[in-house]
Amino acid sequence: MPELPEVETVRRGLQPVLEGARLVGVEARRPDLRFPFPENFSARLTGKTITALGRRAKYLTIHVEGGPVLICHLGMSGSFRIETPDGSEIPGVFHHERSKSAAHDHVVFDVVSAGGARSRVIFNDPRRFGFMLFAEGTPDTHPMLAGLGVEPTGNTLDGVLLASLLEGRRSPLKAALLDQRLIAGLGNIYVSEALWRAGLSPLRESGTIAKAGKKAAAQSERLAGAIRSVIADAIAAGGSSLRDYVQTDGSLGYFQHSFAVYDREGEPCSTPGCGGHIERIVQSGRSTFYCRTCQR
C-alpha cells in the first residue's frame, strides 16, 4: 500500500493541474473499483470547480464547489497520470514501467484551468483495490476518515502527545505506531525507519516510553521527532516508490535508496559505532527490520 509520503507526493503532483480547474467531463469506465462508485458519480462532479486538493492520512480529498468531497484511495496499484491534448504527459521520466493499458484506465477527469488550458487526469488501477467515495459536508465525519488519529506531520506530534497516546499500552511499540486510531498515515516502512532513528526496539512494550521520569520522556520525544523527520524526508524525496506506486508525472521518488533498515536484512547497521547488523522478523504478519544492538 502507498504510505502517507506517497499520497502527499501524488497530492502535490495533482495540485497545480486540479486546484481551481473546472471539471468539464468525468467518466467512470466501470461500475466499481474496490467499492461501487457513488450514485450519479459523474453527474455530481461534472461542471464544478475544484476548490482544494487535500490529504488525510493515506486518503486524497478533492473538494468541489458546493460539494461533495471526493475521497480517493490509491489501493495497491492505483496511480494518476496527467495528459495534455496532444497525448504528452506532464512532465517526468519513467524509472519503472507502469500500466498504460486502457483496460486499467478506470476514471478519466477532463479539466480546464482558470487560464483555459485543457488536460486530462487519468486514474489507472490494474488490481482495482483503490476506491473513490463521496463525503457530504466535512470529510472527517465520513466512516473512512472518522476516528483517525493525529497526523505525523508538523509539530503537533510531540513527545508529550505521543506519551499520552501510548500510556498504559502493552502491545509492541511497532504495533501501536501502526494503529491508525492513534497516529494516522504511518505504515510499515516508515515505522521501521523511525524506530531505528530513535534507537528503540519494535518489540518493546509501547507503554514503557510513556512512564514517569526523564528517561521515558526523552524516549518519547526522540521517537516523536524521528517520526516527523522520517516522514518529512520521505515527502521531500518523493515517497518510497516501491513496486506499483508512481508519482503523477510518472517518475519515482528516491527515498528507498536512503532506507537505514527497511529491506536491508543482513547488512551492517549504519549507526556510528554500533557494529550490529539489520535483522528481519515478522510481527502481525508483516516484516520488521531493525538492529537489536542499538535499538533497545
Side-chain angles (χ1 to χ4, degrees):
M1 287 288 188
E3 298 193 23
L4 185 154
E6 284 76 27
V7 180
E8 178 61 19
T9 301
V10 168
R11 188 195 71 81
R12 294 183 183 189
L14 291 172
Q15 190 174 28
V17 173
L18 289 184
E19 278 195 356
R22 186 165 59 90
L23 290 160
V24 296
V26 178
E27 179 186 5
R29 294 180 171 175
R30 55 176 299 112
D32 57 12
L33 294 172
R34 192 194 318 181
F35 308 120
F37 284 105
E39 189 175 353
N40 299 319
F41 176 75
S42 298
R44 294 194 65 189
L45 295 174
T46 301
K48 293 188 175 181
T49 297
I50 298 171
T51 57
L53 196 64
R55 179 195 54 76
R56 179 71 169 106
K58 304 174 186 180
Y59 301 89
L60 286 172
T61 57
I62 301 176
H63 302 250
V64 300
E65 56 178 352
V69 178
L70 180 60
I71 298 174
C72 304
H73 194 281
L74 296 174
M76 298 177 70
S77 62
S79 64
F80 287 93
R81 71 177 186 270
I82 303 166
E83 294 182 349
T84 60
D86 63 5
S88 62
E89 298 196 348
I90 310 176
V93 177
F94 287 88
H95 298 278
H96 292 289
E97 189 60 32
R98 67 178 175 191
S99 171
K100 290 187 180 181
S101 170
H104 303 309
D105 287 347
H106 301 310
V107 185
V108 178
F109 301 94
D110 287 300
V111 299
V112 176
S113 71
R118 302 183 70 94
S119 56
R120 173 172 283 190
V121 176
I122 300 167
F123 181 69
N124 182 290
D125 188 3
R127 303 185 194 181
R128 300 201 304 273
F129 203 64
F131 61 79
M132 295 184 182
L133 301 173
F134 283 156
E136 309 293 344
T138 304
D140 283 344
T141 62
H142 190 278
M144 287 292 179
L145 305 186
L148 289 176
V150 63
E151 288 275 327
T153 54
N155 294 319
T156 302
L157 182 65
D158 59 13
V160 174
L161 177 57
L162 182 58
S164 72
L165 294 173
L166 299 179
E167 186 176 6
R169 293 183 176 270
R170 304 187 62 180
S171 58
L173 184 53
K174 185 191 175 194
L177 294 177
L178 288 173
D179 188 339
Q180 300 299 296
R181 297 168 297 178
L182 302 180
I183 304 174
L186 281 185
N188 195 47
I189 296 171
Y190 299 114
V191 167
S192 291
E193 292 295 307
L195 286 170
W196 175 81
R197 290 191 185 191
L200 296 172
S201 170
L203 296 168
R204 72 181 294 154
E205 192 172 292
S206 53
T208 59
I209 69 169
K211 294 181 177 180
K214 292 183 179 179
K215 181 178 180 180
Q219 290 173 332
S220 60
E221 192 62 53
R222 195 164 70 242
L223 180 55
I227 291 170
R228 295 195 308 267
S229 67
V230 78
I231 293 295
D233 289 349
I235 291 172
S240 66
S241 308
L242 298 179
R243 296 187 177 90
D244 292 315
Y245 167 71
V246 289
Q247 296 182 36
T248 55
D249 67 359
S251 64
L252 292 175
Y254 295 97
F255 189 68
Q256 61 178 330
H257 302 303
S258 301
F259 288 161
V261 291
Y262 188 81
D263 206 25
R264 290 192 59 208
E265 181 181 9
E267 296 183 28
C269 177
S270 55
T271 299
C274 171
H277 288 77
I278 306 305
E279 299 180 31
R280 175 188 174 272
I281 59 174
V282 177
Q283 292 180 285
S284 302
R286 307 189 72 182
S287 294
T288 295
F289 298 89
Y290 80 114
C291 173
R292 71 169 64 238
T293 303
C294 67
Q295 290 181 247
R296 303 294 180 85

